[in-house]
Amino acid sequence: MTVTLSDVAREAGVSLATASRAINGSANRTVRPELREKVLAAAQRLKYSPDANAQAMARGRTTALGLIVHDIADPYFSTIASGVTAAAERAGLVVTLASTDRDPERELAFVDLMQRQRARAIIVAGGRSDDAEANAALTEALAEYRSRGGGAAVIGQALLGVDTVTIENEASTSELASRLHALGYRRFAILAGPEGHLTARARLTGFRDGLAAHGVSIADEDVVHCAFTRDGGFEGMQELLSRGRVRPGGARDGHVDAVFAVNDVMAVGAMAAARTAGVTVPDDVGIAGFDDIITLRDITPSLTTIRLPLADIGSLVTELALSPAKPEPRVVPVDGEVIVRDSTPRRD
């Protein structure tokens, strides 16, 4: 026979409402300590198991934290997720993950799901596109979610009306460009990601500006827009190869001597395409990326990149999502650190 909350209330000699508040909690009512102890003792004697949904309804929220990422297979997002998960566990929460494949409709559907499930907070990780309609829809969905007591925070651009951890993309790539120039590189190509991706655009702009400060420009034919993925980097490098901009011996005969990919997984794909075409990295062409994903430990030659503290970013955005909201959204910038490795040695 199933033990009900009514049985517990009867055993403890209290009202059903008092028993519910003692076991499930309440968003706005408390129970005197002595009554709560009576109820909990009765529940233990009767071996009563509280219903998780009832607890959530009573408290106004669950112990769930929703995390939205573009692609969990990308080590960038999986490392951020590890930081979010660690911070959530410290707060006694469980992470519910959605990987959207950069589909705005899936983002909205997940926010709606977390709303219906009364999740404690939602985190959105990943750069936005220049799709004003999609950004406005997500802004409205998050505002509605927060109006009902949920917390929200974002990693990316500060466009959604909530606390945001931003990456200093332009400053970091400008510094990378200067460092590569100091190493003797002069002829650059960029695997620039999708044209409408705001993170990719900022990294392209920063890199170009960093080179311009040294009197170096990049020809339009040496900027290749491609998917923000490993396969996108592979295909982008194939395009440079087909145009004759990168080829064996290129670093010595006037062709492109360094390729910057706007994230690391694209750089890894570019290295694979170069190897397939018989182009040696770094002898024929140097390659650099951005993010310093964990899988770079297994890449040869080791990849020059911009290091982000990805797990720390995950922890930071979780703290923002769970902390009381301020009158104006907080924006917390995070700097990248240029890490020069074997893929871009000094040129003579």
Side-chain angles (χ1 to χ4, degrees):
M1 179 178 177
T2 301
V3 177
T4 67
L5 187 59
S6 294
D7 296 328
V8 174
R10 191 178 304 110
E11 174 74 10
V14 300
S15 69
L16 180 60
T18 297
S20 175
R21 288 194 290 270
I23 290 176
N24 296 323
S26 173
N28 49 27
R29 299 287 296 276
T30 59
V31 177
R32 296 199 312 272
E34 64 272 18
L35 285 181
R36 184 173 183 274
E37 289 179 8
K38 285 183 63 177
V39 172
L40 295 180
Q44 186 175 14
R45 288 195 299 273
L46 297 177
K47 295 181 171 56
Y48 171 74
S49 297
D51 180 83
N53 289 329
Q55 289 182 320
M57 292 292 289
R59 295 171 182 165
R61 60 192 181 193
T62 67
T63 58
L65 184 150
L67 172 61
I68 302 173
V69 301
H70 291 327
D71 180 7
I72 194 58
D74 185 333
Y76 173 88
F77 292 110
S78 59
T79 306
I80 287 174
S82 72
V84 170
T85 301
E89 288 178 352
R90 291 193 294 269
L93 304 177
V94 176
V95 175
T96 301
L97 175 68
S99 186
T100 65
D101 196 27
R102 298 175 172 83
D103 182 346
E105 293 300 321
R106 293 176 67 176
E107 286 183 330
L108 291 174
F110 186 69
V111 172
D112 179 65
L113 175 63
M114 292 294 96
Q115 179 82 275
R116 289 185 281 111
Q117 293 186 353
R118 298 174 180 261
R120 173 78 175 273
I122 294 174
I123 293 168
V124 182
R128 310 308 304 165
S129 72
D130 62 2
D131 185 335
E133 183 176 347
N135 290 334
L138 186 55
T139 299
E140 182 178 352
L142 291 175
E144 171 68 15
Y145 175 78
R146 294 177 69 222
S147 73
R148 300 189 183 186
V154 169
I155 301 169
Q157 288 74 32
L159 298 175
L160 302 179
V162 299
D163 294 341
T164 305
V165 178
T166 62
I167 309 302
E168 295 291 280
N169 291 301
E170 291 192 27
S172 298
T173 52
S174 178
E175 173 64 18
L176 174 63
S178 293
R179 293 284 294 276
L180 293 177
H181 185 272
L183 289 171
Y185 294 89
R186 296 294 183 269
R187 300 177 300 279
F188 295 87
I190 302 180
L191 303 182
E195 291 191 65
H197 193 291
L198 297 181
T199 295
R201 184 181 298 170
R203 293 177 183 181
L204 169 62
T205 298
F207 196 81
R208 275 186 140 158
D209 288 349
L211 291 179
H214 298 281
V216 176
S217 61
I218 302 176
D220 288 342
E221 67 176 344
D222 291 332
V223 177
V224 178
H225 291 282
C226 47
F228 208 61
T229 61
R230 180 267 180 200
D231 289 346
F234 189 96
E235 292 164 6
M237 180 61 91
Q238 284 186 318
E239 180 67 22
L240 290 173
L241 290 161
S242 71
R243 296 176 186 176
R245 301 303 297 147
V246 175
R247 68 179 190 177
R252 294 180 294 275
D253 64 5
H255 292 77
V256 166
D257 58 8
V259 175
F260 168 53
V262 295
N263 71 18
D264 283 343
V265 292
M266 293 173 63
V268 170
M271 292 172 78
R275 182 170 58 250
T276 299
V279 173
T280 302
V281 179
D283 293 342
D284 296 330
V285 67
I287 295 182
F290 193 120
D291 294 329
D292 200 29
I293 56 176
I294 193 169
T295 48
L296 294 187
R297 298 175 185 177
D298 302 319
I299 299 298
T300 302
S302 57
L303 182 68
T304 291
T305 189
I306 296 170
R307 175 179 292 162
L308 295 178
L310 297 174
D312 291 342
I313 288 171
S315 295
L316 174 59
V317 76
T318 305
E319 292 171 6
L320 288 175
L322 297 178
S323 63
K326 300 293 184 181
E328 294 295 327
R330 291 164 287 194
V331 177
V332 182
V334 175
D335 292 321
E337 177 188 4
V338 175
I339 306 294
V340 175
R341 298 194 179 108
D342 294 344
S343 66
T344 58
R346 179 173 296 278
R347 293 289 186 219
D348 296 330

